[in-house]
Amino acid sequence: MNFLSPPPVSFLVFDPTGPGNYRKPLSVPGGRWGELRVGWSLSMETDFPVASIMPCQNAQRQLSNSEQNHSLPKQVRFAGGVEPEPVAPQLKLLPMNDQIRELQTIIRDKTTSRGDFVFCADRLIRLVVEEGLNQLPYTECTVTTPTGHKYDGVKFEKGNCGVSIMRSGEAMEQGLRDCCRSIRIGKILIQSDEETQKAKVYYAKFPPDIYRRKVLLMYPILSTGNTVIEAVKVLIEHGVQPNHIILLSLFSTPHGAKSIIEEFPEITILATEVHPVAPTHFGQKYFGTD
């Protein structure tokens, strides 16, 4: 008579020897029940049954491997599963994760409704803005907690502002205000000349002391980079140093980022993705003019 081995069974057991009765997953191969002995006892510290395990060498090896796997750092993944060629150290990308990847996918999907598009775009913008603020200088400080204890922390230095390149750059203004309620925001309107196809500045309004400030320049899509280059030129004309400019963007092409950095090597660019094809429909879809 042939007997079929039962399938493997997975247990979530408590190790009483570990810190805080640490939970450890354990898979027991079918038909080999003698390799694991489980007994129940009452823990005086937790007041609930705790499984005491006495695994054989094979089971102990599985526990050891499980601990090693949990200690491995999560691999950084890139768009399309392929690591892009480095453009320049001035270009900083947010570490790719499933959350960012899904937001990028929804934004690029032509079947996405405008409501879902705006919702996901605002979430992605917030992530970029938060990281952009992390690039600003800060000083160390000590505060007193409500319980009277001292806490050593940091505070950002004053003298920052935002500048949006109209119109798509205005989509990022609210994300910046959500993080910095009182921050001042300037605007630049740049359009391509119908005859020469070159970017031309039509309007610019900044805080009067912008030359003393760090500038978060906002423009979600970097395709050719020409619009941003013209905007940076206007900022420089108003006394802003290129190394005081942090460009916040969502999507960039390799050509767009490279063009900007070649023109202004001291500028910092922050984006979520570098891809040969940029979602140039972003502004029209976000503002409902598509």
Side-chain angles (χ1 to χ4, degrees):
M1 182 179 296
N2 295 328
F3 293 93
L4 296 177
S5 298
V9 178
S10 296
F11 289 93
L12 184 62
V13 297
F14 290 84
D15 181 3
T17 63
N21 294 329
Y22 178 66
R23 298 178 182 225
K24 295 182 178 180
L26 181 65
S27 177
V28 180
R32 305 178 68 180
W33 303 102
E35 294 186 350
L36 178 67
R37 295 161 51 196
V38 179
W40 291 92
S41 62
L42 184 64
S43 172
M44 300 302 293
E45 297 179 355
T46 58
D47 291 332
F48 61 82
V50 177
S52 300
I53 59 173
M54 289 175 285
C56 68
Q57 293 182 355
N58 181 54
Q60 183 66 46
R61 191 179 304 113
Q62 293 184 45
L63 286 173
S64 178
N65 292 338
S66 175
E67 291 177 347
Q68 293 178 4
N69 292 337
H70 284 294
S71 65
L72 292 176
K74 187 174 182 180
Q75 184 180 5
V76 177
R77 294 181 290 109
F78 298 89
V82 179
E83 181 177 356
E85 294 184 3
V87 176
Q90 296 93 326
L91 174 62
K92 303 179 184 297
L93 295 179
L94 269 65
M96 182 62 67
N97 54 44
D98 293 335
Q99 178 182 203
I100 293 177
R101 189 64 172 151
E102 183 191 32
L103 295 176
Q104 294 172 341
T105 302
I106 295 174
I107 291 173
R108 287 182 176 273
D109 188 353
K110 67 177 183 180
T111 64
T112 299
S113 65
R114 180 174 177 267
D116 290 342
F117 184 94
V118 173
F119 178 79
C120 293
D122 287 343
R123 286 185 60 196
L124 195 59
I125 288 169
R126 179 64 178 264
L127 295 174
V128 174
V129 169
E130 293 279 10
E131 183 57 33
L133 295 174
N134 201 40
Q135 306 295 320
L136 296 175
Y138 62 87
T139 57
E140 296 182 353
C141 66
T142 301
V143 298
T144 303
T145 69
T147 57
H149 294 84
K150 299 295 183 180
Y151 179 81
D152 296 329
V154 299
K155 64 178 179 180
F156 286 102
E157 296 179 358
K158 296 182 178 180
N160 306 311
C161 72
V163 173
S164 64
I165 302 177
M166 303 166 63
R167 179 177 188 194
S168 60
E170 292 178 305
M172 307 180 72
E173 290 184 5
Q174 188 59 47
L176 180 59
R177 287 195 176 98
D178 288 342
C179 299
C180 305
R181 291 180 295 177
S182 60
I183 193 168
R184 305 190 65 177
I185 297 180
K187 295 180 182 290
I188 303 178
L189 175 60
I190 300 176
Q191 294 181 345
S192 297
D193 188 274
E194 296 182 356
E195 297 181 358
T196 62
Q197 297 301 318
K198 292 184 178 180
K200 184 178 180 180
V201 179
Y202 286 87
Y203 173 82
K205 185 174 183 180
F206 309 126
D209 59 345
I210 192 172
Y211 62 92
R212 296 188 301 183
R213 298 175 180 262
K214 301 288 193 304
V215 177
L216 297 173
L217 183 61
M218 297 173 286
Y219 197 60
I221 309 299
L222 303 181
S223 183
T224 63
N226 293 336
T227 300
V228 172
I229 289 175
E230 291 301 319
V232 174
K233 289 180 179 179
V234 175
L235 290 173
I236 294 177
E237 291 174 359
H238 284 74
V240 180
Q241 300 297 319
N243 61 338
H244 287 178
I245 301 175
I246 300 174
L247 174 60
L248 305 183
S249 185
L250 302 183
F251 302 92
S252 175
T253 64
H255 172 72
K258 186 177 181 180
S259 299
I260 297 171
I261 293 174
E262 286 180 350
E263 187 76 18
F264 306 104
E266 294 180 323
I267 196 173
T268 298
I269 302 177
L270 185 62
T272 70
E273 182 183 50
V274 175
H275 193 279
V277 180
T280 54
H281 66 290
F282 183 92
Q284 292 82 357
K285 191 68 172 281
Y286 189 94
F287 294 105
T289 57
D290 53 343

